[in-house]
Amino acid sequence: MRKLMAATVLAGATFAAPAMAQDVNPTFTGPRVEAILGYDHVGAGSDFDNDNGRDDQSIDGLLYGIGAGYDVNLGSAVVGIEGEWTDSTAKSNRYDPTDQFGFGRVSQGRDLYVGARAGILANPMTLIYVKGGYTNSKLNVLAGNTNETTDTSFKLDGWRIGAGVERAINTNTFAKLEYRYSNYTDGKLDFPNGATSERFDIDTDRHQVVASVGVRF
């Protein structure tokens, strides 16, 4: 009896394995949403320079946010559109007033991104892709040598490029690892009374390494 039960269990497992493999049938097609978490680095670009060598410092922090997109599987390739909202803990050192990188003491605020991506399927469950698009970021001006933000902020416009790997966990869930580089070339200053400065040229770089987990519908 024990031998018969063992043979039955083994046979069941043998048939179940292919069935489970068939259940994992990622299509990389359709709408998706995801949670984003990673490393954020913001600093002066290569065109920004000064004599004291300290205003070129940068700020670093934890990036977090949400994203959404829509993909179309073309066979061996995938194309799609996407957007995201993120925020960051990066801010200037309150004990070092020269930590400015061209904006004075600031903390990194929300960032809005919209763009497109295209990739190839390394295998049925793995997508390797590149991306690019428009990004609008906010830098909150800090009050004095405190961590308190004021009602004054910089609004920055720029572009973003990146590359990543997406791995299907199953048909409806996925995980991603991605590097992104953003360059902001245009800015304005928003004041507490609602007034806005004229737009001015800037050169601010942003590097991010992020991981995402999401659901595809």
Side-chain angles (χ1 to χ4, degrees), residues 53-119:
R54 294 184 60 80
D55 286 352
D56 290 335
Q57 293 180 5
S58 58
I59 57 177
D60 302 87
L62 179 69
L63 183 79
Y64 56 92
I66 56 174
Y70 189 94
D71 297 312
V72 177
N73 191 331
L74 302 177
S76 61
V78 174
V79 296
I81 57 174
E82 59 184 5
E84 67 179 46
W85 173 96
T86 59
D87 208 333
S88 174
T89 63
K91 60 185 173 183
S92 299
N93 184 346
R94 61 180 295 185
Y95 302 109
D96 185 0
T98 64
D99 185 11
Q100 300 176 355
F101 67 98
F103 294 96
R105 289 195 62 246
V106 293
S107 65
Q108 178 63 56
R110 65 103 183 102
D111 184 271
L112 304 174
Y113 165 79
V114 61
R117 72 172 185 166

Side-chain angles (χ1 to χ4, degrees), residues 34-38 63-67 83-86 180 210-213:
E34 62 196 76
I36 302 168
L37 187 69
L63 183 79
Y64 56 92
I66 56 174
E84 67 179 46
W85 173 96
T86 59
R180 303 102 71 88
V210 303
S212 303
V213 176

